Amino acid sequence: MNQIVANVTRIDTIDNLNIVEFEFQTTKLKMMSLDLSNITVGQKVVLSVKPTHIAVAKELSGMLSYSNQLITTISKIEMGELLCTISTEIFSIPLQSIITADSAKRMNLQLNDEITLLIKASDLSILDVYHD
């Protein structure tokens, strides 16, 4: 499970739906949540996302609906028969994506390639909340 420490910067709520914005270093992230208890603007949280919920783009251009787009480089590739694990690092935080081996081959992913990690707002969740 990938983990990112971030600060809550904004919460928009209508009925039970919440859109929460975070600041991760100099990068803004967004999360969609139906259940949001005891979270306030200014709090530090640990966000999590499964490696299978991070898509990978190479030579990305155009507009996408993905709220969270993180540009990074590939630091390690582990190619299996069916799946491929892509390891990266952003602001010294390790992040992994698991995609199909066929996709990795089709994209010709290589060590040190610049890629964009794509995370839907609905795939990001709060794992833990720091209490001062």
Side-chain angles (χ1 to χ4, degrees):
M1 184 74 69
N2 294 298
Q3 296 183 11
I4 299 168
V5 176
N7 291 310
V8 178
T9 58
R10 182 176 175 167
I11 301 172
D12 292 322
T13 303
I14 296 179
D15 297 324
N16 282 343
L17 179 62
N18 304 281
I19 302 295
V20 185
E21 292 184 10
F22 305 92
E23 189 168 287
F24 164 53
Q25 300 291 331
T26 58
T27 303
K28 291 186 186 269
L29 300 172
K30 284 189 181 183
M31 176 189 82
M32 179 180 5
S33 175
L34 294 175
D35 181 28
L36 193 66
S37 56
N38 301 323
I39 303 297
T40 59
V41 171
Q43 277 189 302
K44 184 189 267 187
V45 298
V46 178
L47 301 173
S48 68
V49 60
K50 294 178 181 179
T52 53
H53 289 183
I54 299 179
V56 174
K58 183 177 175 180
E59 300 173 13
L60 179 64
S61 65
M63 295 171 44
L64 295 174
S65 64
Y66 281 85
S67 296
N68 305 304
Q69 301 179 23
L70 305 167
I71 298 171
T72 186
T73 57
I74 297 174
S75 58
K76 184 178 180 184
I77 298 177
E78 296 175 56
M79 187 70 74
E81 288 185 42
L82 298 176
L83 298 177
C84 178
T85 302
I86 309 295
S87 298
T88 67
E89 198 173 278
I90 299 174
F91 303 116
S92 300
I93 303 295
L95 294 176
Q96 287 187 329
S97 172
I98 297 176
I99 62 174
T100 64
D102 285 346
S103 290
K105 290 173 188 171
R106 178 178 41 80
M107 296 170 68
N108 191 28
L109 294 177
Q110 304 290 321
L111 194 62
N112 298 317
D113 277 354
E114 183 177 277
I115 58 172
T116 303
L117 301 179
L118 304 166
I119 306 168
K120 289 173 58 175
S122 58
D123 289 336
L124 201 58
S125 62
I126 295 174
L127 181 65
D128 199 6
V129 178
Y130 287 88
H131 298 283
D132 294 330

